[in-house]
Amino acid sequence: METTKDENMIKHTRYHYIDNLRTIALLLGIVFHAALAYGASFQNIWLTSDVTNHIVFDFIAKWTHLFRMPLFFVIAGFCGALLVNLRGENSYLFNRFKRVFLPFLVFLPIILGSTLAISFWAASFVQYRPPIFELFELVESPTISTMHLWFLFNLFQFCCVFWLLSKWQSGFQAIMGFISRPIFLIAVLPFVVGVSMSQQMIPFPPPDKLFPQLWSYGFYGVLFLVGASLFHHHSVIRRYEKKIVYLLLIAVVSSYFYFAHLPAPLAIVDVVTAINNGGVVHVEVDAFLVVMQTLAILSWTAVCYLSGYKWLNKPNNLSRYLSDASYWVYLIHLPILMIIQFVLINTSFNVFIKFNVSILVTFVLSILSYHLFVRSTFIGTFLNGKKRSVKGFNKLA
């Protein structure tokens, strides 16, 4: 495949901001999932929902939900293009099979089994049983969820599409060039994302089914391509960086209207119906809210990406270590977090103390497990590959 001028100039550069943003995006998963337990909006849908809650945690969960995983897929696309550039298309696909799809196959049954075991254990002693526990008896035909590992399943699908696209050399370069242009980012991208999200509930759900979901391609898949185009045309980032204040203004204004018009949380009967329908919630399209959500998603994602490029593009031993650890931490954090939050249900601690304790203990235990049992073992090699001395090779999302 032919390389552009940008690619030749930066092929062997270490993208420290990509490392740092990827780490932040993955570790924010702990914050997001911890907030779900203490937000009133999620009382009927989250396994560890606590009787003590506060609106602050609704905001934390819903706000980070707007940009956390969109940012991750932009970064994943950037790293995917980098890997194709370094190793070629076929090696790229094989690498993604080993580092993305195989971990998904290995960890999904582990996470599902541990979640069930922890839930049964918690049901035997918690004084306040989260409402969703009572729903299990009412569900007639539950479907298997990929839980928080949905990102691996979707990511590998996008990697396969990107592999096929990269085989079409002339068309591939034209597509990458078009995606990096303002006309695409300002007009086409919001339209595609908005249409893709228009039939989904708001806040949007995870594409966690064991089959491809087309709306995810129009949302996360397109953002993956945006990230790839930013690698191939890296110099445009400096131009877009100058617009960060305007993007922040759009993010704040659209978020205001987004939060002001959010629908009421799902009632118990709606949750039961959704579970029996395979997790599908039938909604009436609110065009204004869809537009505000789309603008908030894209503007916050852009602000985070450009902020990382501007302020986080520096080497740091701690961030490098966390970058290596973040994959493992994200994979295993949820069962650990569940145990801690179930134990905290029986305490009379302030909800803010519970939130911070659950995050801190989960993070510490996850990092310890990585350092002791993963970093220098076959598990670390399985997830991150062997340590490479080649300058410029990022840990790939």
Side-chain angles (χ1 to χ4, degrees), residues 271-284:
V271 177
V272 173
T273 301
I275 295 176
N276 285 327
N277 289 337
V280 177
V281 178
H282 298 287
V283 296
E284 294 184 7

Side-chain angles (χ1 to χ4, degrees), residues 90-357:
N90 294 335
S91 293
Y92 160 75
L93 186 63
F94 182 60
N95 178 277
R96 297 298 79 191
F97 177 79
K98 291 192 300 180
R99 304 288 173 247
V100 175
F101 192 62
L102 283 184
F104 170 75
L105 294 179
V106 170
F107 280 89
L108 181 60
I110 295 173
I111 297 299
L112 286 173
S114 60
T115 300
L116 287 173
I118 293 168
S119 298
F120 283 121
W121 165 74
S124 68
F125 76 89
V126 292
Q127 298 171 2
Y128 166 80
R129 296 180 66 182
I132 198 170
F133 275 56
E134 311 302 329
L135 300 182
F136 293 147
E137 300 176 359
L138 304 175
V139 175
E140 299 172 357
S141 53
T143 56
I144 296 178
S145 167
T146 55
M147 300 188 64
H148 65 296
L149 303 188
W150 65 264
F151 85 99
L152 290 176
F153 187 54
N154 282 261
L155 177 56
F156 185 67
Q157 295 173 53
F158 303 153
C159 290
C160 292
V161 173
F162 187 67
W163 170 74
L164 289 172
L165 191 62
S166 65
K167 291 286 189 179
W168 182 31
Q169 294 186 10
S170 59
F172 177 79
Q173 293 297 340
I175 291 171
M176 292 294 101
F178 176 64
I179 290 176
S180 68
R181 293 176 183 173
I183 185 63
F184 179 88
L185 298 174
I186 295 173
V188 179
L189 179 61
F191 177 78
V192 172
V193 171
V195 170
S196 300
M197 305 282 279
S198 62
Q199 299 301 316
Q200 302 302 313
M201 65 178 290
I202 297 177
F204 56 92
D208 60 349
K209 306 299 181 290
L210 276 171
F211 54 83
Q213 294 176 260
L214 292 181
W215 73 268
S216 178
Y217 280 74
F219 179 26
Y220 293 117
V222 172
L223 290 176
F224 181 97
L225 292 179
V226 169
S229 75
L230 292 177
F231 168 77
H232 286 281
H233 301 273
H234 200 255
S235 60
V236 303
I237 300 176
R238 290 196 186 125
R239 185 165 73 244
Y240 295 138
E241 179 195 344
K242 299 176 183 178
K243 310 298 182 183
I244 193 170
V245 174
Y246 300 105
L247 289 166
L248 180 59
L249 180 61
I250 295 172
V252 171
V253 173
S254 59
S255 295
Y256 170 80
F257 288 107
Y258 169 76
F259 280 102
H261 291 80
L262 278 176
L266 292 177
I268 292 290
V269 63
D270 297 322
V271 177
V272 173
T273 301
I275 295 176
N276 285 327
N277 289 337
V280 177
V281 178
H282 298 287
V283 296
E284 294 184 7
V285 178
D286 184 336
F288 177 78
L289 189 53
V290 169
V291 171
M292 291 301 104
Q293 178 180 249
T294 301
L295 290 177
I297 289 169
L298 297 179
S299 55
W300 279 118
T301 302
V303 167
C304 291
Y305 186 93
L306 295 173
S307 297
Y309 175 80
K310 186 173 183 178
W311 289 298
L312 298 179
N313 200 21
K314 299 176 182 178
N316 182 285
N317 289 335
L318 176 60
S319 65
R320 180 68 181 273
Y321 179 88
L322 291 176
S323 177
D324 291 342
S326 61
Y327 193 4
W328 166 259
V329 170
Y330 189 78
L331 289 175
I332 58 95
H333 81 276
L334 195 55
I336 298 173
L337 180 64
M338 287 178 63
I339 293 173
I340 296 164
Q341 291 188 322
F342 277 134
V343 171
L344 289 173
I345 285 179
N346 285 352
T347 70
S348 58
F349 294 148
N350 178 277
V351 65
F352 291 93
I353 294 177
K354 289 184 177 183
F355 175 70
N356 285 286
V357 167

